[in-house]
mmCIF file of all heavy atoms in Angstrom:
data_model
loop_
_atom_site.group_PDB
_atom_site.id
_atom_site.type_symbol
_atom_site.label_atom_id
_atom_site.label_comp_id
_atom_site.label_asym_id
_atom_site.label_seq_id
_atom_site.Cartn_x
_atom_site.Cartn_y
_atom_site.Cartn_z
ATOM 1 N N ARG A 147 -24.387 -6.215 4.819
ATOM 2 C CA ARG A 147 -24.796 -6.507 3.460
ATOM 3 C C ARG A 147 -26.137 -5.889 3.066
ATOM 4 O O ARG A 147 -26.443 -5.585 1.920
ATOM 5 C CB ARG A 147 -24.820 -7.986 3.153
ATOM 6 C CG ARG A 147 -25.681 -8.780 4.125
ATOM 7 C CD ARG A 147 -25.375 -10.231 4.112
ATOM 8 N NE ARG A 147 -25.731 -10.851 2.878
ATOM 9 C CZ ARG A 147 -25.362 -12.075 2.514
ATOM 10 N NH1 ARG A 147 -24.587 -12.783 3.319
ATOM 11 N NH2 ARG A 147 -25.751 -12.603 1.421
ATOM 12 N N SER A 148 -27.002 -5.646 4.090
ATOM 13 C CA SER A 148 -28.231 -4.975 3.769
ATOM 14 C C SER A 148 -28.436 -3.649 4.502
ATOM 15 O O SER A 148 -29.589 -3.195 4.606
ATOM 16 C CB SER A 148 -29.420 -5.931 3.952
ATOM 17 O OG SER A 148 -29.270 -6.559 5.255
ATOM 18 N N THR A 149 -27.337 -3.081 4.942
ATOM 19 C CA THR A 149 -27.477 -1.758 5.645
ATOM 20 C C THR A 149 -27.483 -0.662 4.540
ATOM 21 O O THR A 149 -26.505 -0.489 3.817
ATOM 22 C CB THR A 149 -26.256 -1.518 6.524
ATOM 23 O OG1 THR A 149 -26.229 -2.513 7.608
ATOM 24 C CG2 THR A 149 -26.248 -0.133 7.162
ATOM 25 N N VAL A 150 -28.605 -0.004 4.422
ATOM 26 C CA VAL A 150 -28.758 0.969 3.314
ATOM 27 C C VAL A 150 -28.026 2.278 3.623
ATOM 28 O O VAL A 150 -28.071 2.805 4.723
ATOM 29 C CB VAL A 150 -30.266 1.221 3.138
ATOM 30 C CG1 VAL A 150 -30.487 2.329 2.114
ATOM 31 C CG2 VAL A 150 -30.962 -0.080 2.640
ATOM 32 N N MET A 151 -27.401 2.758 2.570
ATOM 33 C CA MET A 151 -26.791 4.088 2.689
ATOM 34 C C MET A 151 -26.856 4.793 1.319
ATOM 35 O O MET A 151 -27.191 4.075 0.333
ATOM 36 C CB MET A 151 -25.284 3.939 3.095
ATOM 37 C CG MET A 151 -24.430 3.247 2.054
ATOM 38 S SD MET A 151 -22.718 3.252 2.463
ATOM 39 C CE MET A 151 -22.302 4.954 2.270
ATOM 40 N N PRO A 152 -26.572 6.064 1.232
ATOM 41 C CA PRO A 152 -26.610 6.698 -0.067
ATOM 42 C C PRO A 152 -25.377 6.295 -0.886
ATOM 43 O O PRO A 152 -24.325 6.211 -0.368
ATOM 44 C CB PRO A 152 -26.560 8.179 0.219
ATOM 45 C CG PRO A 152 -26.636 8.404 1.707
ATOM 46 C CD PRO A 152 -26.287 7.076 2.332
ATOM 47 N N GLY A 153 -25.603 6.081 -2.182
ATOM 48 C CA GLY A 153 -24.474 5.905 -3.065
ATOM 49 C C GLY A 153 -24.282 7.253 -3.746
ATOM 50 O O GLY A 153 -25.228 7.903 -4.121
ATOM 51 N N TYR A 154 -23.054 7.731 -3.830
ATOM 52 C CA TYR A 154 -22.827 9.088 -4.323
ATOM 53 C C TYR A 154 -22.205 9.101 -5.715
ATOM 54 O O TYR A 154 -21.371 8.290 -6.016
ATOM 55 C CB TYR A 154 -21.858 9.831 -3.361
ATOM 56 C CG TYR A 154 -22.372 10.033 -2.000
ATOM 57 C CD1 TYR A 154 -22.132 9.147 -0.966
ATOM 58 C CD2 TYR A 154 -23.183 11.182 -1.709
ATOM 59 C CE1 TYR A 154 -22.648 9.317 0.272
ATOM 60 C CE2 TYR A 154 -23.703 11.357 -0.411
ATOM 61 C CZ TYR A 154 -23.425 10.397 0.551
ATOM 62 O OH TYR A 154 -23.952 10.614 1.781
ATOM 63 N N THR A 155 -22.644 10.040 -6.530
ATOM 64 C CA THR A 155 -21.872 10.390 -7.721
ATOM 65 C C THR A 155 -21.728 11.929 -7.641
ATOM 66 O O THR A 155 -22.657 12.585 -7.119
ATOM 67 C CB THR A 155 -22.570 10.028 -9.036
ATOM 68 O OG1 THR A 155 -23.782 10.779 -9.164
ATOM 69 C CG2 THR A 155 -22.923 8.515 -9.129
ATOM 70 N N HIS A 156 -20.606 12.400 -8.119
ATOM 71 C CA HIS A 156 -20.296 13.827 -7.939
ATOM 72 C C HIS A 156 -20.385 14.319 -6.512
ATOM 73 O O HIS A 156 -20.732 15.451 -6.197
ATOM 74 C CB HIS A 156 -21.247 14.713 -8.817
ATOM 75 C CG HIS A 156 -21.393 14.279 -10.227
ATOM 76 N ND1 HIS A 156 -20.565 14.792 -11.269
ATOM 77 C CD2 HIS A 156 -22.206 13.277 -10.780
ATOM 78 C CE1 HIS A 156 -20.959 14.145 -12.396
ATOM 79 N NE2 HIS A 156 -21.916 13.283 -12.119
ATOM 80 N N GLN A 157 -20.195 13.357 -5.598
ATOM 81 C CA GLN A 157 -20.372 13.619 -4.146
ATOM 82 C C GLN A 157 -21.764 14.063 -3.765
ATOM 83 O O GLN A 157 -22.016 14.624 -2.745
ATOM 84 C CB GLN A 157 -19.327 14.588 -3.599
ATOM 85 C CG GLN A 157 -18.072 13.854 -3.150
ATOM 86 C CD GLN A 157 -17.077 14.741 -2.438
ATOM 87 O OE1 GLN A 157 -16.092 15.129 -3.039
ATOM 88 N NE2 GLN A 157 -17.358 15.041 -1.165
ATOM 89 N N GLN A 158 -22.782 13.875 -4.641
ATOM 90 C CA GLN A 158 -24.146 14.119 -4.387
ATOM 91 C C GLN A 158 -24.877 12.760 -4.261
ATOM 92 O O GLN A 158 -24.517 11.822 -4.972
ATOM 93 C CB GLN A 158 -24.807 14.855 -5.552
ATOM 94 C CG GLN A 158 -23.957 15.963 -6.184
ATOM 95 C CD GLN A 158 -24.175 17.286 -5.437
ATOM 96 O OE1 GLN A 158 -25.210 17.550 -4.839
ATOM 97 N NE2 GLN A 158 -23.189 18.126 -5.445
ATOM 98 N N PRO A 159 -25.842 12.680 -3.348
ATOM 99 C CA PRO A 159 -26.631 11.428 -3.256
ATOM 100 C C PRO A 159 -27.182 11.045 -4.591
ATOM 101 O O PRO A 159 -27.758 11.879 -5.264
ATOM 102 C CB PRO A 159 -27.716 11.702 -2.252
ATOM 103 C CG PRO A 159 -27.364 13.020 -1.629
ATOM 104 C CD PRO A 159 -26.389 13.724 -2.506
ATOM 105 N N ALA A 160 -26.991 9.792 -5.030
ATOM 106 C CA ALA A 160 -27.387 9.394 -6.397
ATOM 107 C C ALA A 160 -28.426 8.312 -6.288
ATOM 108 O O ALA A 160 -29.603 8.507 -6.677
ATOM 109 C CB ALA A 160 -26.182 8.925 -7.194
ATOM 110 N N GLN A 161 -28.070 7.142 -5.763
ATOM 111 C CA GLN A 161 -28.992 6.034 -5.624
ATOM 112 C C GLN A 161 -28.647 5.291 -4.354
ATOM 113 O O GLN A 161 -27.446 5.253 -3.981
ATOM 114 C CB GLN A 161 -28.875 5.028 -6.824
ATOM 115 C CG GLN A 161 -29.462 5.572 -8.122
ATOM 116 C CD GLN A 161 -29.337 4.470 -9.195
ATOM 117 O OE1 GLN A 161 -28.287 4.296 -9.789
ATOM 118 N NE2 GLN A 161 -30.461 3.876 -9.491
ATOM 119 N N PRO A 162 -29.647 4.730 -3.680
ATOM 120 C CA PRO A 162 -29.294 3.963 -2.441
ATOM 121 C C PRO A 162 -28.457 2.719 -2.752
ATOM 122 O O PRO A 162 -28.663 2.065 -3.752
ATOM 123 C CB PRO A 162 -30.659 3.587 -1.854
ATOM 124 C CG PRO A 162 -31.647 3.789 -2.935
ATOM 125 C CD PRO A 162 -31.070 4.699 -3.985
ATOM 126 N N ILE A 163 -27.433 2.526 -1.916
ATOM 127 C CA ILE A 163 -26.640 1.284 -1.982
ATOM 128 C C ILE A 163 -26.606 0.682 -0.612
ATOM 129 O O ILE A 163 -27.400 1.084 0.270
ATOM 130 C CB ILE A 163 -25.231 1.557 -2.515
ATOM 131 C CG1 ILE A 163 -24.502 2.544 -1.636
ATOM 132 C CG2 ILE A 163 -25.300 2.071 -3.991
ATOM 133 C CD1 ILE A 163 -22.987 2.627 -1.891
ATOM 134 N N THR A 164 -25.666 -0.233 -0.364
ATOM 135 C CA THR A 164 -25.513 -0.740 1.019
ATOM 136 C C THR A 164 -24.067 -0.482 1.437
ATOM 137 O O THR A 164 -23.150 -0.367 0.598
ATOM 138 C CB THR A 164 -25.768 -2.244 1.075
ATOM 139 O OG1 THR A 164 -24.809 -2.918 0.252
ATOM 140 C CG2 THR A 164 -27.176 -2.602 0.663
ATOM 141 N N LEU A 165 -23.871 -0.492 2.799
ATOM 142 C CA LEU A 165 -22.495 -0.378 3.293
ATOM 143 C C LEU A 165 -21.669 -1.558 2.806
ATOM 144 O O LEU A 165 -20.484 -1.458 2.618
ATOM 145 C CB LEU A 165 -22.549 -0.278 4.795
ATOM 146 C CG LEU A 165 -21.197 -0.117 5.489
ATOM 147 C CD1 LEU A 165 -20.470 1.139 5.027
ATOM 148 C CD2 LEU A 165 -21.423 -0.056 7.040
ATOM 149 N N GLY A 166 -22.379 -2.763 2.661
ATOM 150 C CA GLY A 166 -21.686 -3.898 2.140
ATOM 151 C C GLY A 166 -21.068 -3.708 0.794
ATOM 152 O O GLY A 166 -19.905 -4.015 0.566
ATOM 153 N N LEU A 167 -21.852 -3.130 -0.081
ATOM 154 C CA LEU A 167 -21.332 -2.857 -1.473
ATOM 155 C C LEU A 167 -20.139 -1.891 -1.375
ATOM 156 O O LEU A 167 -19.135 -2.037 -2.076
ATOM 157 C CB LEU A 167 -22.429 -2.267 -2.354
ATOM 158 C CG LEU A 167 -22.013 -2.054 -3.787
ATOM 159 C CD1 LEU A 167 -21.928 -3.388 -4.527
ATOM 160 C CD2 LEU A 167 -22.887 -1.094 -4.562
ATOM 161 N N HIS A 168 -20.304 -0.917 -0.503
ATOM 162 C CA HIS A 168 -19.255 0.148 -0.369
ATOM 163 C C HIS A 168 -17.948 -0.483 0.133
ATOM 164 O O HIS A 168 -16.902 -0.259 -0.408
ATOM 165 C CB HIS A 168 -19.722 1.214 0.588
ATOM 166 C CG HIS A 168 -18.669 2.205 0.894
ATOM 167 N ND1 HIS A 168 -17.845 2.015 1.994
ATOM 168 C CD2 HIS A 168 -18.260 3.290 0.296
ATOM 169 C CE1 HIS A 168 -16.954 2.974 2.011
ATOM 170 N NE2 HIS A 168 -17.182 3.808 1.023
ATOM 171 N N GLN A 169 -18.014 -1.273 1.180
ATOM 172 C CA GLN A 169 -16.775 -1.884 1.745
ATOM 173 C C GLN A 169 -16.151 -2.853 0.758
ATOM 174 O O GLN A 169 -14.901 -2.886 0.685
ATOM 175 C CB GLN A 169 -17.158 -2.625 3.093
ATOM 176 C CG GLN A 169 -17.632 -1.693 4.117
ATOM 177 C CD GLN A 169 -16.485 -0.929 4.783
ATOM 178 O OE1 GLN A 169 -15.654 -1.410 5.523
ATOM 179 N NE2 GLN A 169 -16.404 0.379 4.503
ATOM 180 N N LEU A 170 -16.921 -3.580 0.044
ATOM 181 C CA LEU A 170 -16.357 -4.462 -1.000
ATOM 182 C C LEU A 170 -15.720 -3.643 -2.060
ATOM 183 O O LEU A 170 -14.730 -4.127 -2.705
ATOM 184 C CB LEU A 170 -17.408 -5.398 -1.545
ATOM 185 C CG LEU A 170 -17.809 -6.543 -0.589
ATOM 186 C CD1 LEU A 170 -18.833 -7.450 -1.264
ATOM 187 C CD2 LEU A 170 -16.598 -7.415 -0.189
ATOM 188 N N GLY A 171 -16.247 -2.471 -2.349
ATOM 189 C CA GLY A 171 -15.641 -1.537 -3.311
ATOM 190 C C GLY A 171 -14.143 -1.340 -2.991
ATOM 191 O O GLY A 171 -13.309 -1.404 -3.865
ATOM 192 N N HIS A 172 -13.874 -1.069 -1.717
ATOM 193 C CA HIS A 172 -12.482 -0.910 -1.271
ATOM 194 C C HIS A 172 -11.747 -2.238 -1.331
ATOM 195 O O HIS A 172 -10.539 -2.302 -1.601
ATOM 196 C CB HIS A 172 -12.394 -0.297 0.107
ATOM 197 C CG HIS A 172 -12.752 1.196 0.083
ATOM 198 N ND1 HIS A 172 -12.175 2.111 -0.763
ATOM 199 C CD2 HIS A 172 -13.583 1.881 0.849
ATOM 200 C CE1 HIS A 172 -12.658 3.281 -0.531
ATOM 201 N NE2 HIS A 172 -13.537 3.227 0.447
ATOM 202 N N PHE A 173 -12.448 -3.328 -0.990
ATOM 203 C CA PHE A 173 -11.767 -4.669 -1.007
ATOM 204 C C PHE A 173 -11.075 -4.908 -2.321
ATOM 205 O O PHE A 173 -9.924 -5.371 -2.328
ATOM 206 C CB PHE A 173 -12.844 -5.705 -0.798
ATOM 207 C CG PHE A 173 -12.326 -7.117 -0.867
ATOM 208 C CD1 PHE A 173 -11.998 -7.811 0.287
ATOM 209 C CD2 PHE A 173 -12.216 -7.750 -2.104
ATOM 210 C CE1 PHE A 173 -11.473 -9.132 0.186
ATOM 211 C CE2 PHE A 173 -11.760 -9.070 -2.197
ATOM 212 C CZ PHE A 173 -11.390 -9.708 -1.045
ATOM 213 N N TRP A 174 -11.735 -4.575 -3.413
ATOM 214 C CA TRP A 174 -11.127 -4.834 -4.754
ATOM 215 C C TRP A 174 -9.966 -3.976 -5.027
ATOM 216 O O TRP A 174 -8.981 -4.383 -5.722
ATOM 217 C CB TRP A 174 -12.237 -4.741 -5.870
ATOM 218 C CG TRP A 174 -13.274 -5.775 -5.675
ATOM 219 C CD1 TRP A 174 -14.549 -5.592 -5.184
ATOM 220 C CD2 TRP A 174 -13.117 -7.156 -5.922
ATOM 221 N NE1 TRP A 174 -15.172 -6.843 -5.122
ATOM 222 C CE2 TRP A 174 -14.346 -7.788 -5.539
ATOM 223 C CE3 TRP A 174 -12.088 -7.980 -6.435
ATOM 224 C CZ2 TRP A 174 -14.576 -9.143 -5.707
ATOM 225 C CZ3 TRP A 174 -12.312 -9.358 -6.578
ATOM 226 C CH2 TRP A 174 -13.566 -9.913 -6.199
ATOM 227 N N ALA A 175 -9.982 -2.760 -4.522
ATOM 228 C CA ALA A 175 -8.803 -1.873 -4.661
ATOM 229 C C ALA A 175 -7.568 -2.548 -4.085
ATOM 230 O O ALA A 175 -6.499 -2.507 -4.642
ATOM 231 C CB ALA A 175 -9.040 -0.506 -4.032
ATOM 232 N N PHE A 176 -7.749 -3.167 -2.893
ATOM 233 C CA PHE A 176 -6.646 -3.806 -2.226
ATOM 234 C C PHE A 176 -6.230 -5.133 -2.839
ATOM 235 O O PHE A 176 -5.046 -5.575 -2.702
ATOM 236 C CB PHE A 176 -6.847 -3.844 -0.691
ATOM 237 C CG PHE A 176 -6.831 -2.494 -0.187
ATOM 238 C CD1 PHE A 176 -8.002 -1.824 0.203
ATOM 239 C CD2 PHE A 176 -5.633 -1.725 -0.085
ATOM 240 C CE1 PHE A 176 -7.976 -0.469 0.611
ATOM 241 C CE2 PHE A 176 -5.598 -0.422 0.385
ATOM 242 C CZ PHE A 176 -6.805 0.213 0.715
ATOM 243 N N GLN A 177 -7.127 -5.766 -3.588
ATOM 244 C CA GLN A 177 -6.755 -6.923 -4.372
ATOM 245 C C GLN A 177 -5.732 -6.463 -5.479
ATOM 246 O O GLN A 177 -4.732 -7.117 -5.718
ATOM 247 C CB GLN A 177 -7.993 -7.542 -5.013
ATOM 248 C CG GLN A 177 -7.741 -8.888 -5.665
ATOM 249 C CD GLN A 177 -7.395 -10.013 -4.712
ATOM 250 O OE1 GLN A 177 -7.607 -9.870 -3.538
ATOM 251 N NE2 GLN A 177 -6.808 -11.114 -5.187
ATOM 252 N N ARG A 178 -5.998 -5.322 -6.052
ATOM 253 C CA ARG A 178 -5.055 -4.795 -7.066
ATOM 254 C C ARG A 178 -3.726 -4.392 -6.392
ATOM 255 O O ARG A 178 -2.682 -4.617 -6.953
ATOM 256 C CB ARG A 178 -5.686 -3.619 -7.762
ATOM 257 C CG ARG A 178 -6.885 -3.989 -8.637
ATOM 258 C CD ARG A 178 -7.323 -2.796 -9.508
ATOM 259 N NE ARG A 178 -7.903 -1.680 -8.727
ATOM 260 C CZ ARG A 178 -9.204 -1.575 -8.397
ATOM 261 N NH1 ARG A 178 -10.020 -2.539 -8.698
ATOM 262 N NH2 ARG A 178 -9.627 -0.518 -7.745
#
Side-chain angles (χ1 to χ4, degrees):
R147 55 198 291 167
S148 46
T149 298
V150 173
M151 67 174 290
Y154 296 93
T155 65
H156 311 266
Q157 270 188 258
Q158 317 273 334
Q161 286 184 283
I163 60 166
T164 62
L165 182 57
L167 185 75
H168 172 271
Q169 294 284 288
L170 286 180
H172 287 309
F173 175 97
W174 294 104
F176 292 103
Q177 189 68 16
R178 294 189 290 274

